[in-house]
Amino acid sequence: MDKNVRGILIPGAPIVLKRGRHSIRGGFGVRHIWARHQTEILARGYSAEEDIAKYVADIVRPGSPVFCEFGHIRNVRVTVVRTTIGIAVLEHKTHGDDVHYSVVTAFAQRNAHGTRVGTVLAHHPAAAQLPENETPTEPT
């Protein structure tokens, strides 16, 4: 569901966790999350890189609050928080008819910065039709 907050449109869309990449300059997706945050993820009981989809899904689930830092808007980025597990940072992506939020990163932190703009809603059926290299979670 789209939301207009402070004159900025925060579009609703499915959330996708991609395999991604990691480099010295940053990255996104499973590879980045595991390379950058492996120690803290292991400490929370997730035992391997293959558990990143579960880790993200445990954060980004229906009812989780969604925040936006309006001072840093380049692309629409929002943060989803599950205080006992961590934070996931999502970036809105549009490629033709494909509109989704891509999981940039996820890590153990208890609180987000910014303004609360909504909550994660229930699963979107279209997310099940994504390419094999992407793992759907829940939409915003």
Side-chain angles (χ1 to χ4, degrees):
M1 172 185 289
D2 295 348
K3 272 207 134 145
N4 192 320
V5 181
R6 295 186 186 177
I8 296 171
L9 179 66
I10 312 267
I15 298 169
V16 177
L17 175 61
K18 300 175 183 178
R19 287 189 185 142
R21 65 175 169 74
H22 178 72
S23 70
I24 293 171
R25 294 182 177 184
F28 69 96
V30 171
R31 291 182 179 133
H32 171 71
I33 294 166
W34 187 249
R36 186 84 188 262
H37 304 289
Q38 177 180 358
T39 302
E40 60 200 75
I41 292 168
L42 288 169
R44 284 183 165 50
Y46 303 88
S47 58
E49 184 174 340
E50 293 75 30
D51 293 337
I52 296 299
K54 171 113 174 74
Y55 178 66
V56 170
D58 286 346
I59 296 169
V60 183
R61 62 185 197 198
S64 294
V66 177
F67 294 82
C68 184
E69 288 186 65
F70 292 98
H72 298 98
I73 290 195
R74 173 184 59 171
N75 295 323
V76 175
R77 275 196 176 184
V78 295
T79 304
V80 178
V81 179
R82 202 51 143 181
T83 58
T84 58
I85 301 168
I87 288 178
V89 177
L90 316 175
E91 185 170 273
H92 189 258
K93 299 287 188 178
T94 303
H95 300 287
D97 291 338
D98 177 25
V99 178
H100 65 275
Y101 280 90
S102 179
V103 178
V104 176
T105 192
F107 51 92
Q109 182 174 318
R110 291 188 168 274
N111 38 4
H113 301 284
T115 302
R116 185 172 176 166
V117 295
T119 59
V120 175
L121 301 176
H123 182 70
H124 189 283
Q129 300 172 14
L130 295 169
E132 286 183 25
N133 68 338
E134 300 177 354
T135 305
T137 58
E138 310 301 325
T140 60

